[in-house]
Amino acid sequence: MIVRTENAADVVAIHDITLEAFKDHPYSDGTEHLIVGRLREAGALSLSLVAEVEGEVVGHIAFSPVELSDGSEQWFGLGPVSVRPAFQGQGIGSALIRKGLDILRDRAAAGCVVVGDPALYRQFGFENDARMTYADCAPQYFLAQPLSSTPASGMVTFHAAFYGGVDG
Ligand SMILES: CC(C)(COP(=O)(O)OP(=O)(O)OC[C@H]1O[C@@H](n2cnc3c(N)ncnc32)[C@H](O)[C@@H]1OP(=O)(O)O)[C@@H](O)C(=O)NCCC(=O)NCCS
């Protein structure tokens, strides 16, 4: 398995993998597959990695910029992350998350946030942090990971394209 940055030929596969991965997800609103395209279109797809097995793209992860109400910069949001169901449970999602965080560190990112299953994301260094909040998300499902020594606090907002907005 290799993890690499996306290229133009991956766009359809990324769409399809995300749709498939979230199809039966209990907390899915059925629109996750549209998020990556909107971020790409808006120039807000800060990092987009695919996992390839024997030449087939089977997994994907996106990172996009987030804003903090305290003015902290260089924070990013992880997601969506998707692995084709037939390939789940083989370490592909973990490899995508680890590689993405490594690249953010190399780029001197200040930190990363994620909304999701705490049991999954704690394995990669994310923790609940009472200093940071996200909309009306239950605190246990909102996790953060500083990637530099600069602390941050306040309300987090994902890029407008993450939610379907066209500007911002
Ligand atoms: C979450 C997801 C990206 C993990 O990718 P993966 O390649 O299956 O994950 P890995 O094999 O690297 O395992 C990492 C962890 O994912 C979780 N996991 C693995 N397979 C899973 C499955 N079929 N369903 C749910 N969680 C699973 C486990 O917690 C696992 O940790 P463990 O090995 O300590 O048990 C993948 O299961 C997926 O696409 N799920 C649907 C979409 C989704 O839920 N995305 C995240 C939204 S917050």
Side-chain angles (χ1 to χ4, degrees), residues 103-121:
I103 293 173
L104 288 185
R105 268 186 216 100
D106 287 349
R107 292 182 183 177
C112 188
V113 298
V114 66
V115 178
D117 181 352
L120 174 63
Y121 291 110

Side-chain angles (χ1 to χ4, degrees), residues 11-166:
V11 169
V12 173
I14 291 169
H15 173 280
D16 293 352
I17 289 165
T18 312
L19 183 62
E20 213 184 319
F22 280 92
K23 192 161 169 281
D24 300 317
H25 193 284
Y27 300 112
S28 169
D29 67 357
T31 64
E32 289 81 4
H33 60 290
L34 304 175
I35 294 174
V36 185
R38 283 199 308 261
L39 289 170
R40 192 185 289 112
E41 190 73 16
L45 192 52
S46 312
L47 179 60
S48 177
L49 300 175
V50 295
E52 207 180 284
V53 174
E54 293 174 357
E56 184 191 351
V57 174
V58 299
H60 174 260
I61 192 167
F63 293 86
S64 57
V66 297
E67 278 184 18
L68 271 114
S69 60
D70 73 351
S72 294
E73 294 185 344
Q74 290 298 312
W75 276 78
F76 295 88
L78 184 165
V81 53
S82 313
V83 173
R84 193 154 261 166
F87 290 84
Q88 289 177 8
Q90 301 173 27
I92 295 171
S94 301
L96 284 163
I97 295 168
R98 289 211 171 87
K99 178 81 172 182
L101 292 170
D102 283 349
I103 293 173
L104 288 185
R105 268 186 216 100
D106 287 349
R107 292 182 183 177
C112 188
V113 298
V114 66
V115 178
D117 181 352
L120 174 63
Y121 291 110
R122 280 200 190 108
Q123 301 176 51
F124 308 103
F126 288 93
E127 295 290 348
N128 300 113
D129 183 342
R131 290 169 299 187
M132 295 169 78
T133 57
Y134 175 56
D136 51 2
C137 180
Q140 67 267 35
Y141 295 112
F142 183 64
L143 299 97
Q145 172 166 187
L147 297 171
S148 75
S149 54
T150 317
S153 61
M155 285 184 304
V156 173
T157 315
F158 279 66
H159 192 280
F162 200 94
Y163 310 101
V166 290

